[in-house]
Amino acid sequence: KMGLKLADYVITEAGFGADLGAEKFLDIKCVVANLKPNVIVINSTIRSIKYNGGVKKENIQEENIDALKHGIANLETHITNMQKYTKNIVVCLNKFQTDTIKEIEFVKDYCKKLGCKFQISTSYTDGGKGAIDVAKEIINLCENEVDYKPLYDLNLSIYEKIEKVAKEIYRAGSITISSKAKEKI
């Protein structure tokens, strides 16, 4: 809240993965603090997508579109999870020198198909100037209407909240709560 009083734009790092950290930030912290995020940025790399696609670390620098096709499901899940909160999403691809144009275009096209923006960041090698395009995209998205909504209503029971998160974010078919947990609830 202090940052919002001191700057035009405030960025919060909400944790690793668009499930644990982001879900808690968006469903608990934002609701309690009456914050309404304009944009969600999902950071990813070609390397992590290929790794999720089954490539061993020693081969991660080699072009492998098939591994991207398999590993992109992980990024897709993060995108679709965050689309439950807002449509103002940008995937920031942290580019490494070994990333090929073909690989980058594959991820860019996939993000476009899912309805989210895509930008490349080279800030790791180029410093701040390598993140200018990402910053511009965020600013552009901030011009959109704020459509943030939490996943669940605070008035739901604890059981209903747990069930909603388990099913919507973690894709559980159902939940079972032990009798000891029911007592604590």
Side-chain angles (χ1 to χ4, degrees):
K1 285 191 170 186
M2 181 174 61
L4 289 169
K5 292 176 183 176
L6 299 173
D8 294 330
Y9 301 94
V10 176
I11 297 172
T12 299
E13 196 281 323
F16 181 78
D19 43 24
L20 288 173
E23 187 276 323
K24 289 176 192 169
F25 177 78
L26 295 165
D27 283 327
I28 300 170
K29 185 172 185 174
C30 287
V31 173
V32 171
N34 196 29
L35 298 171
K36 293 177 176 56
N38 293 74
V39 179
I40 294 175
V41 179
I42 300 173
N43 289 299
S44 190
T45 63
I46 295 289
R47 292 174 177 201
S48 67
I49 297 169
K50 288 192 289 193
Y51 186 73
N52 282 306
V55 173
K56 293 183 177 148
K57 285 184 182 178
E58 58 267 16
N59 301 325
I60 211 83
Q61 296 183 8
E62 299 167 14
E63 182 178 85
N64 191 330
I65 300 298
D66 285 337
L68 283 176
K69 288 177 182 176
H70 287 78
I72 200 84
N74 183 273
L75 179 60
E76 179 180 1
T77 298
H78 291 301
I79 292 168
T80 57
N81 276 353
M82 294 301 96
Q83 286 174 332
K84 293 170 183 172
Y85 298 96
T86 184
K87 298 299 179 214
N88 296 329
I89 298 171
V90 60
V91 169
C92 171
L93 186 76
N94 291 316
K95 184 182 180 301
F96 287 81
Q97 288 181 327
T98 56
D99 298 346
T100 69
I101 292 171
K102 198 172 176 182
E103 290 174 323
I104 293 168
E105 286 300 314
F106 175 83
V107 177
K108 179 181 179 180
D109 291 344
Y110 203 88
C111 290
K112 186 177 180 180
K113 183 180 88 171
L114 293 174
C116 70
K117 302 292 184 179
F118 174 89
Q119 286 295 331
I120 295 171
S121 172
T122 59
S123 60
Y124 179 76
T125 54
D126 299 329
K129 70 180 182 180
I132 289 174
D133 290 338
V134 177
K136 286 179 179 178
E137 188 71 65
I138 292 168
I139 290 168
N140 286 337
L141 286 171
C142 283
E143 299 302 318
N144 292 346
E145 181 180 337
V146 178
D147 65 346
Y148 159 77
K149 63 185 179 319
L151 187 64
Y152 53 79
D153 185 299
L154 276 184
N155 295 319
L156 293 177
S157 70
I158 292 174
Y159 177 86
E160 290 170 312
K161 291 173 188 173
I162 293 168
E163 183 177 48
K164 184 93 170 164
V165 171
K167 288 182 175 182
E168 294 285 328
I169 302 298
Y170 296 102
R171 311 305 194 273
S174 62
I175 65 169
T176 303
I177 297 182
S178 70
S179 57
K180 187 175 182 178
K182 284 180 185 176
E183 286 175 31
K184 293 196 180 235
I185 288 174

